[in-house]
Amino acid sequence: MRGLAERFGRLTSTGLVLAVLVVAIVLGAILTATEGRNFFSLGNVSAILVATSVLGFVAIGQTLVILTGSIDLSVSYVVSLTTVLAATTMDGSSGNVVPAVLLVLAVAAAIGFVNGAVVSFLHVHGFIATLGMGLIISGYLAVNYAGPTGDAPRSFALIGATRIGPVPLPVLIMLGCALLMILMLRRTRVGHQVYAVGGNPQVARLSGVRTSVPVITAHVLCSMLTALAGLLLVARTQVGNPTAGTQGQYDLMSIAAVVLGGTLLAGGKGNITGTLAGVAIFAVMDNVMAALQTDPFLRDAIRGAVIVAAVAVYARREIDRRPARFERPGVLDAALQEAK
C-alpha cells in the first residue's frame, strides 16, 4: 500500500490525470455492464469520442489562455455567434461554405485580438475583459436572432457524419489542432513565452519578452479554436443556434477540463495532453451517468466533486514538493529569529 502511495506521489500531473481516466473507463465499463450494456461497443465508443470533439476544441484554446495567466469567459458566446454566422452565410449553398468558414474564423480572430489587447494594454484582467466581450456578443445575438436560423448544406453536414474507421472525422480534426498547439508550445519562441509570461510576467518582461505578444496570440488562437467548435455544431445540426454555446456551458466546462488536466489557473504550468484527458474524463462520466439515467442535479454534483477533489490533490502535491527553503524552520533557525 505504501509502495502504491509512493508511485502515486511520483506521477506528474499529466500522468495522474491519465491514470484517473483509466480508472474512470474501468468503472464506467463495470457500471454500464450492470445495466446490460457494453461500454466498449462501437456505437458507445463513437458517442464518447464525438462528445469530446466540441468541448475539446474550446478546452485546447482555454488552456493556451490560462497558461498565460488570463482566462476567457466569452467562449460560449463565440460558439453561439459562429453558429449563426456560419449557417446564415451558407444559406443552404455549397458554394458559400468556404466564404462562411473564412468569415467565421476572421470574426473569431478579431474577437480574440480585442480580448488580448484589452488584457495586455489596458491591464484589465481576462476575467473582466472577456466577460464584457461575452455580454456584448450576447446582446447582439438577443437583438438579432430569436431562434434557430440559417441552413448548412448537406456537403458541409457530411463533416459531422463522416468516420474514418471507428473514429469520427471531427475528432481527428480536433486531435490535429491539439498536436499543432503542442508543437507551438514546445518548439516555438511564442510557446516558450506563453509559459514565461504565465509563470511571472515581471521576470519575463525584465528578460526581454514582449508580454503582449503571447497573451494576444493565446486569445486569438482560443477564439479561432472556439469558432471551429461552432462550425462543428453547425455541421451536426445544419442550423445556427444563438444559445448553442450557453446551453453547452462551454465556458465553465472548458475551464473545468483545463483544471482537471493539471493546468494551474494562475498560469505558467500545464499542458494540452492533460486537458484532453480531462475532457475525456468528463465525456466518460456523462456517458455512464446517461446510461444509468442519473438525475441531472446529481450529475452536476458529481462533476463539481471531481473538480474540487482534483484541485485539492494538485494543491497538496504542490505543497509536498515545495523546496526546502519554504519548509518550517529548524531549531537553529528559530533561535536565530528570536535573537533578531
Side-chain angles (χ1 to χ4, degrees), residues 219-249:
H219 275 283
V220 169
L221 290 174
C222 179
S223 291
M224 294 182 73
L225 287 164
T226 302
L228 292 178
L231 288 170
L232 176 57
L233 286 176
V234 173
R236 285 187 193 171
T237 62
Q238 292 187 259
V239 296
N241 186 346
T243 59
T246 50
Q247 288 177 351
Q249 297 182 318

Side-chain angles (χ1 to χ4, degrees), residues 17-320:
V17 72
L18 289 173
V20 173
L21 175 59
V22 172
V23 172
I25 291 174
V26 173
L27 288 177
I30 295 172
L31 293 173
T32 305
T34 62
E35 295 293 318
R37 300 185 180 184
N38 182 7
F39 180 83
F40 297 105
S41 67
L42 184 61
N44 196 54
V45 172
S46 179
I48 293 174
L49 291 175
V50 170
T52 63
S53 55
V54 176
L55 180 58
F57 279 116
V58 183
I60 292 169
Q62 194 73 263
T63 305
L64 299 176
V65 172
I66 289 179
L67 282 175
T68 65
S70 185
I71 200 167
D72 194 336
L73 296 181
S74 67
V75 289
S76 289
Y77 304 101
V78 173
V79 168
S80 300
L81 178 64
T82 52
T83 63
V84 296
L85 284 180
T88 54
T89 305
M90 291 178 190
D91 197 23
S93 173
S94 298
N96 293 333
V97 168
V98 173
V101 171
L102 293 177
L103 172 65
V104 163
L105 292 177
V107 170
I111 292 172
F113 181 82
V114 173
N115 283 339
V118 171
V119 172
S120 297
F121 300 124
L122 300 183
H123 302 292
V124 177
H125 194 278
F127 184 94
I128 300 300
T130 58
L131 179 61
M133 176 60 75
L135 292 176
I136 292 172
I137 298 173
S138 175
Y140 171 79
L141 292 171
V143 170
N144 293 281
Y145 301 98
T149 183
D151 179 20
R154 187 172 180 277
S155 58
F156 187 74
L158 286 176
I159 296 176
T162 302
R163 301 176 190 279
I164 299 179
V167 184
L169 180 59
V171 176
L172 295 176
I173 298 175
M174 185 268 289
L175 292 178
C177 291
L179 180 61
L180 289 176
M181 294 303 105
I182 290 172
L183 291 175
M184 188 273 288
L185 287 174
R186 293 185 178 182
R187 302 292 185 183
T188 68
R189 178 177 296 179
V190 173
H192 297 161
Q193 290 175 347
V194 164
Y195 283 102
V197 171
N200 193 321
Q202 292 184 348
V203 171
R205 186 167 51 250
L206 292 174
S207 302
V209 175
R210 295 176 60 188
T211 56
S212 60
V213 174
V215 173
I216 293 176
T217 301
H219 275 283
V220 169
L221 290 174
C222 179
S223 291
M224 294 182 73
L225 287 164
T226 302
L228 292 178
L231 288 170
L232 176 57
L233 286 176
V234 173
R236 285 187 193 171
T237 62
Q238 292 187 259
V239 296
N241 186 346
T243 59
T246 50
Q247 288 177 351
Q249 297 182 318
Y250 293 114
D251 46 0
L252 299 180
M253 289 305 297
S254 63
I255 294 170
V258 172
V259 172
L260 186 60
T263 297
L264 290 183
L265 271 178
K269 183 179 180 182
N271 58 65
I272 289 174
T273 304
T275 296
L276 292 179
V279 171
I281 290 173
F282 280 127
V284 170
M285 288 172 52
D286 289 346
N287 182 273
V288 173
M289 288 190 287
L292 298 178
Q293 298 182 340
T294 308
D295 183 80
F297 171 75
L298 183 58
R299 294 184 190 185
D300 290 338
I302 293 174
R303 284 176 179 172
V306 170
I307 294 168
V308 172
V311 173
V313 169
Y314 293 142
R316 182 70 256 174
R317 287 160 60 89
E318 287 296 319
I319 292 173
D320 291 342

